Amino acid sequence: MSLDAPYDPENIFAKILRGEIPSVRVWEDAHVLAFMDVFPQSEGHVLVISKTSTARTLLEIEADALARLTAAVQRTSRAVEKALRPDGFQIMQFNGAAGGQTVFHLHFHIIPRWSDRPMKAHGQGGMADAAVLRTLADRIAAELD
């Protein structure tokens, strides 16, 4: 998809927000949702999305929604670090198909990294077990400030 296509309300994240598709939620408030990636690139891979904006890319999101979203990314990253003690972490955000975006609802990836573990390719690591994801989500949620 191009950078200027219309928002598709049938994208998977929109369906998750409407409760039509299950997700393993880490935390949420009225503005954002943090949930486990079902195709994790690393143990503890979390996605953070806006619940109020239908922006597809970083270029489209409203400034106030972006501020809340980035604060949520920081808060969640701190909890991931406390819960899992990775050697580092990556924050990824893709824009447009040519930029690697596969779900066209603006989202951020928080991907914990360990020096002795290779990272799986984006969307190529296989689906994770929901019970394992729930355990990780609970560990991360327990460390939220």
Side-chain angles (χ1 to χ4, degrees):
M1 283 206 162
S2 71
L3 290 173
D4 58 0
Y7 183 80
D8 177 7
E10 295 305 311
N11 76 69
I12 193 165
F13 293 167
K15 289 179 179 184
I16 287 170
L17 289 172
R18 291 192 302 265
E20 296 170 7
I21 294 176
S23 64
V24 178
R25 295 171 185 237
V26 177
W27 74 276
E28 66 184 301
D29 63 18
H31 304 283
V32 298
L33 169 63
F35 60 103
M36 303 304 294
D37 193 318
V38 296
F39 293 98
Q41 291 181 260
S42 179
E43 178 185 22
H45 183 162
V46 178
L47 300 172
V48 183
I49 64 174
S50 174
K51 293 170 68 174
T52 60
S53 178
T54 57
R56 296 172 58 255
T57 70
L58 189 67
L59 302 175
E60 298 172 355
I61 192 165
E62 306 82 0
D64 59 333
L66 180 59
R68 286 190 292 270
L69 191 55
T70 56
V73 169
Q74 183 182 49
R75 178 179 188 226
T76 307
S77 296
R78 285 181 174 141
V80 166
E81 192 279 326
K82 287 178 186 174
L84 304 179
R85 295 292 178 203
D87 298 322
F89 64 93
Q90 290 178 301
I91 303 296
M92 294 189 178
Q93 194 279 309
F94 306 97
N95 295 278
Q101 188 174 12
T102 56
V103 178
F104 294 90
H105 181 112
L106 178 67
H107 59 287
F108 287 83
H109 296 256
I110 301 168
I111 306 172
R113 298 295 307 271
W114 288 267
S115 355
D116 61 345
R117 300 183 206 174
M119 186 172 84
K120 299 173 188 170
H122 178 62
Q124 304 294 317
M127 186 175 270
D129 178 85
V132 171
L133 293 179
R134 178 76 267 150
T135 298
L136 287 166
D138 290 345
R139 285 176 59 194
I140 295 166
E143 298 296 340
L144 289 166
D145 292 331

